[in-house]
Amino acid sequence: MTIAQNLAAVQQSITRAEAAARRAAGSVQLVAVSKTHGPEAILPTLTAGQRLFGENRVQEAQGKWPALRAQFPDLQLHLIGPLQTNKVKEAVALFDVIQTVDRPRLVEALAREMERSGRRPACLVQVNTGAEPQKAGVLPDEAAAFIAAARQRLPVVGLMCIPPVDQDPAPHFALLRRLADEAGLPERSMGMSGDFEAAIAQGATLVRVGTAIFGHRPVPGPAA
Ligand SMILES: *Cc1c(COP(=O)(O)O)cnc(C)c1O
């Protein structure tokens, strides 16, 4: 299957999952995760009408998106990977949505850069729903207080999670949904290639799908 065919198949699955969950058609937006893939892979999806894209590294995104954006000015870029405070300036300049806000220092750095630049990308708070020690995100117990503080400085519109790889993701999606509802936040970014239908059943509004559209990513070699 071509990339355009993969994209169409994913969109059909999203439409079916929306209907199965008795949700309105179009209530779930597809973020095509293009990390590691070059313009030759991304262009067919733009031509097919895809406009939301996710990247996990600021530097990689800076290298490939300005040229694509010149051709497709209405595309939207989401940062879905960890953000270091020393990359905040570049991130605010490039991304339309930052999905990985997860610590007070980052809130502070983003708020200052947004004030300085006048650009205000929408923000999602990443929640570590599985409380995994190695994983980014605020702990579920600390989410409400963190969200309340972050909202005073940033345009926070929702929550994002990446469930543990070895568990049923459904309870994690349900937890993110509950935390978003309690905070009165409309956006829930959850679900990837392997589980986006389950995420839609649990109320995802943004699904982040890479492999099912672009194929497998090259396996990174050993660290140099
Ligand atoms: C890579 C990535 C995805 C996409 O994963 P696939 O399994 O390739 O669909 C989604 N979310 C985040 C945060 C990612 O880093």
Side-chain angles (χ1 to χ4, degrees):
M1 291 227 293
T2 65
I3 287 173
Q5 288 169 329
N6 290 340
L7 174 68
V10 168
Q11 280 166 336
Q12 271 178 15
S13 302
I14 290 173
T15 302
R16 269 197 304 268
E18 284 171 338
R22 297 170 189 269
R23 298 184 51 192
S27 55
V28 178
Q29 289 191 291
L30 171 61
V31 178
V33 177
S34 49
K35 64 189 185 197
T36 76
H37 298 287
E40 72 292 343
I42 297 170
L43 270 171
T45 69
L46 282 161
T47 305
Q50 177 64 29
R51 287 297 180 271
L52 269 53
F53 294 88
E55 289 282 343
N56 69 337
R57 289 171 190 271
V58 175
Q59 221 162 346
E60 181 188 339
Q62 269 182 314
K64 65 191 188 197
W65 283 98
L68 292 164
R69 193 167 244 159
Q71 256 180 293
F72 299 91
D74 59 335
L75 68 83
Q76 271 198 35
L77 214 49
H78 291 230
L79 178 63
I80 60 168
L83 177 56
Q84 306 306 127
T85 48
N86 64 0
K87 294 273 170 58
V88 157
K89 186 175 178 188
E90 288 88 341
V92 167
L94 182 65
F95 289 96
D96 303 288
V97 179
I98 295 175
Q99 295 206 5
T100 50
V101 177
D102 69 348
R103 55 202 192 279
R105 278 195 53 200
L106 181 57
V107 170
E108 186 56 34
L110 282 167
R112 269 196 308 229
E113 178 57 22
M114 288 187 196
E115 246 163 64
R116 195 198 63 79
S117 66
R119 263 186 66 86
R120 285 178 71 75
C123 294
L124 275 65
V125 169
Q126 182 175 353
V127 182
N128 185 356
T129 55
E132 296 172 278
Q134 81 287 3
K135 198 168 264 178
V138 298
L139 294 172
D141 284 351
E142 295 162 6
F146 180 85
I147 293 162
R151 280 175 121 168
Q152 305 201 340
R153 309 292 314 275
L154 300 175
V156 177
V157 299
L159 305 182
M160 176 270 217
C161 74
I162 309 169
V165 287
D166 55 349
Q167 289 179 25
D168 176 5
H172 296 272
F173 297 150
L175 172 58
L176 197 79
R177 168 74 195 251
R178 180 168 64 74
L179 292 171
D181 284 350
E182 286 170 2
L185 292 169
E187 302 292 343
R188 282 99 49 182
S189 172
M190 51 194 200
M192 319 203 312
S193 291
D195 55 17
F196 67 88
E197 286 107 330
I200 291 169
Q202 299 289 341
T205 60
L206 294 160
V207 292
R208 311 177 307 266
V209 178
T211 308
I213 299 170
F214 297 104
H216 285 285
R217 292 177 287 272
V219 180

